């Protein structure tokens, strides 16, 4: 999964630390047997791992509209897409014959893919607080598309490739 970068990643991680500290405090005051406490600690660890993974995973875009069928391939693993499907850096999107797909990115960019198209989101980093640090690298591998830039392209044309 694509992770947040730099300060944004640190800020998200810092949001998890107070939650962890509260859980540890609750467990220390727990009146149950040592076995139950050990089980609670393990459960807390798993919950924190899940929370940190979810907090750091950030989709680059989503499927806004779609006709026909389409798929995304990440690291050799293909999955079918539907409206609302999330896309990340590294995904290669394919639109089948007779289909079309509208993809909206976090910064407002819009890509409309025509039938028989393949499109790669090679790199997508968007920082809402510091747009100047954002960038996007995308490639049309085959087929046709229309593209409208979002905040990244509107503020830094050189950040879009």
């Amino acid at each position: 999964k694509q992770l947040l970068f730099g300060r944004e990643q640190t800020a998200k991680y810092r949001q998890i630390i107070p939650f962890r500290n509260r859980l540890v405090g609750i467990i220390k005051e727990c009146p149950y047997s040592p076995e139950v406490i050990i089980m609670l600690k393990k459960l807390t660890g798993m919950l924190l791992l899940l929370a940190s993974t979810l907090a750091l995973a950030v989709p680059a875009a989503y499927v806004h509209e779609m006709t026909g069928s389409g798929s995304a391939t990440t690291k050799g693993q293909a999955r079918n897409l539907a409206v609302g499907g999330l896309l990340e850096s590294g995904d290669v999107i394919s639109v089948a014959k007779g289909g079309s797909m509208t993809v909206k990115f976090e910064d407002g960019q819009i890509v409309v893919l025509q039938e028989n198209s393949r499109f790669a989101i090679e790199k997508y980093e968007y920082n809402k607080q510091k747009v100047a640090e954002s960038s996007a690298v995308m490639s049309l591998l085959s087929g046709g598309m229309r593209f409208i830039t979002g905040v990244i392209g509107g503020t830094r044309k050189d950040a879009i490739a």
Side-chain angles (χ1 to χ4, degrees):
K1 295 210 173 220
Q2 180 65 31
L3 302 178
L4 293 175
F5 297 92
R7 292 187 181 129
E8 236 180 279
Q9 182 179 14
T10 303
K12 288 285 186 184
Y13 184 72
R14 285 186 185 145
Q15 292 173 0
I16 295 169
I17 296 299
F19 175 72
R20 176 200 168 274
N21 292 341
R22 282 194 302 265
L23 283 175
V24 169
I26 290 169
I27 290 171
K28 284 181 181 177
E29 297 172 10
C30 182
Y32 299 108
S33 69
E35 293 83 16
V36 173
I37 292 174
I38 290 170
M39 185 177 66
L40 285 173
K41 285 181 179 180
K42 287 180 180 180
L43 180 61
T44 300
M46 288 187 284
L47 287 173
L48 288 173
L49 179 63
L50 177 64
S52 65
T53 302
L54 293 175
L56 296 177
V58 176
Y62 71 96
V63 178
H64 181 70
E65 292 179 11
M66 188 168 88
T67 59
S69 63
S71 63
T73 304
T74 308
K75 296 180 183 174
Q77 298 292 328
R79 67 185 188 281
N80 290 327
L81 290 174
V83 173
L86 300 179
L87 301 164
E88 302 173 353
S89 286
D91 282 353
V92 175
I93 304 162
S94 299
V95 179
K97 183 176 182 173
S100 68
M101 186 183 304
T102 302
V103 176
K104 287 194 174 182
F105 287 80
E106 187 181 3
D107 74 322
Q109 292 180 112
I110 299 172
V111 174
V112 180
L113 298 168
Q114 298 175 356
E115 68 176 335
N116 296 324
S117 295
R118 290 184 64 234
F119 178 78
I121 305 170
E122 295 176 24
K123 178 181 167 189
Y124 184 84
E125 298 174 359
Y126 178 55
N127 184 334
K128 291 178 188 176
Q129 287 75 31
K130 295 185 180 181
V131 176
E133 295 177 2
S134 302
S135 64
V137 179
M138 302 170 203
S139 299
L140 179 64
L141 304 174
S142 64
M145 73 171 208
R146 287 175 284 174
F147 180 83
I148 301 171
T149 62
V151 175
I152 296 173
T155 55
R156 280 188 57 213
K157 291 180 182 19
D158 65 319
I160 300 288

